[in-house]
Every structure is written in C-alpha cells, then in structure tokens.
C-alpha cells in the first residue's frame, strides 16, 4: 500500500471530477484506434484485442473513480494499492489526452507543460479543463514518485 497525500480544494476537486467523468463516459468502450492491430485477415483477433482493451480501460477508470468518490482524496491521506495506483496512472493519461484534445485545443503544448497560461485570459470552461489537466498531471507525478519509492 502507498499513502497518497494531496491537498486539493473540495470544490475544485468536484468540478475536475465532473469533467473527468465526461471524458470517461466518452472513452468507455472506445479504445484509441492507434492501439488496434491492423490485421484485416483476422477479425477475431481484432475483436478479442478490442474486448481486452475495453476491459482493462474499464478497470482503470474504476480505480480512478474510486479515488475520487469513495475516499476523502484531496482532504486527507489515502491508502491505495500499487495495482490501483497503476490503474489510476493509466486512466489519468487517457482522461488528460481527452481533455487536451477536446477542451484545450487553443492552448499550446508548451504552455500546458510549463504552466505558461494566463488563467485570466481563459474562458471558465477552458480554465476548468486546464485545472483538471494539471490536477491529473500532479496526481500522476505524485503516484510515480510513490511507486518508485522517492
């Protein structure tokens, strides 16, 4: 078990979770086409591969959902298993990519990665997307550090 201790304003956490749920709903059952084998001669393999991706992604989304909904994440330390942490990492990546592609199209990659965004210039929905993107990045960074033992 690892102990995750991040302090996040409960209102901001709730708003970020709302956007993350929207991403999850859209992503469920629809793995990225880039990860599907391109073997036109074996449609059974393709379907089995897709089923496996859907199942794994679904489990990862459950880990992320549990973190946000069944614990006091953001308010007090949370104990999670290494398996849960790895699932949260993968789900956070999927959600961040969705947020990047669907809500932050007008923000440069460099600004996203360096924090060079003027929040006052952003529309409220883009500001929320930026916060959600950053929160999930911070969560991932923290989990990687904990899993690596640093």
């Amino acid at each position: 078990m690892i102990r995750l201790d991040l302090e996040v304003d409960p209102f901001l956490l709730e708003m970020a979770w709302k956007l993350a749920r929207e991403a999850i709903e859209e992503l469920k059952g629809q793995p990225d086409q880039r990860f599907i084998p391109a073997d036109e001669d074996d449609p059974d393999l393709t379907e089995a591969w897709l089923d496996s991706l859907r199942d794994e992604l679904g489990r990862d989304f459950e880990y992320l959902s549990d973190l946000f909904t069944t614990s006091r994440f953001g308010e007090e330390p949370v104990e999670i298993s290494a398996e849960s942490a790895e699932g949260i990492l993968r789900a956070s990546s999927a959600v961040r990519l969705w947020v990047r592609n669907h809500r932050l199209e007008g923000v440069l990659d460099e600004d996203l990665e360096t924090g060079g965004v003027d929040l006052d210039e952003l529309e409220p929905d883009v500001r929320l997307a930026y916060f959600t993107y950053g929160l999930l990045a911070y969560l991932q960074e923290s989990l990687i550090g904990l899993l690596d033992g640093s």
Side-chain angles (χ1 to χ4, degrees):
M1 297 295 268
I2 60 175
R3 183 182 167 115
L4 179 63
D5 189 8
L6 303 179
E7 289 186 31
V8 183
D9 178 273
F11 176 74
L12 292 175
L13 197 63
E14 181 182 333
M15 297 305 293
W17 177 235
K18 182 178 178 182
L19 181 57
R21 277 194 327 261
E22 180 182 341
I24 289 169
E25 286 306 311
E26 189 168 313
L27 290 166
K28 274 186 180 176
Q30 298 181 20
D32 190 312
Q33 295 295 317
R34 293 173 296 176
F35 301 117
I36 299 171
D39 188 353
E40 295 175 10
D41 296 331
D42 194 348
D44 292 335
L45 171 64
T46 300
E47 189 57 36
W49 188 275
L50 280 171
D51 287 344
S52 175
L53 285 176
R54 284 184 196 109
D55 289 346
E56 290 175 23
L57 191 56
R59 276 192 298 277
D60 292 343
F61 288 147
E62 287 177 20
Y63 290 130
L64 185 62
S65 177
D66 286 348
L67 178 66
F68 275 84
T69 62
T70 64
S71 70
R72 297 194 36 95
F73 170 62
E75 297 177 49
E76 61 186 37
V78 177
E79 300 261 336
I80 57 175
S81 69
E83 179 182 348
S84 294
E86 290 170 1
I88 291 166
L89 285 170
R90 290 186 297 269
S92 294
S93 291
V95 171
R96 285 181 71 212
L97 284 171
W98 184 92
V99 168
R100 173 70 183 112
N101 292 328
H102 293 86
R103 297 293 187 270
L104 295 171
E105 305 93 339
V107 180
L108 297 174
D109 286 336
E110 180 181 337
D111 291 338
L112 273 177
E113 298 306 321
T114 62
V117 174
D118 184 354
L119 294 176
D120 293 331
E121 292 183 10
L122 298 178
E123 294 294 322
D125 58 332
V126 178
R127 194 175 308 142
L128 173 61
Y130 180 74
F131 172 75
T132 302
Y133 185 90
L135 171 65
L136 292 173
Y138 180 51
L139 173 61
Q140 288 178 300
E141 184 179 308
S142 299
L143 287 173
I144 289 168
L146 291 168
L147 289 168
D148 285 346
S150 26

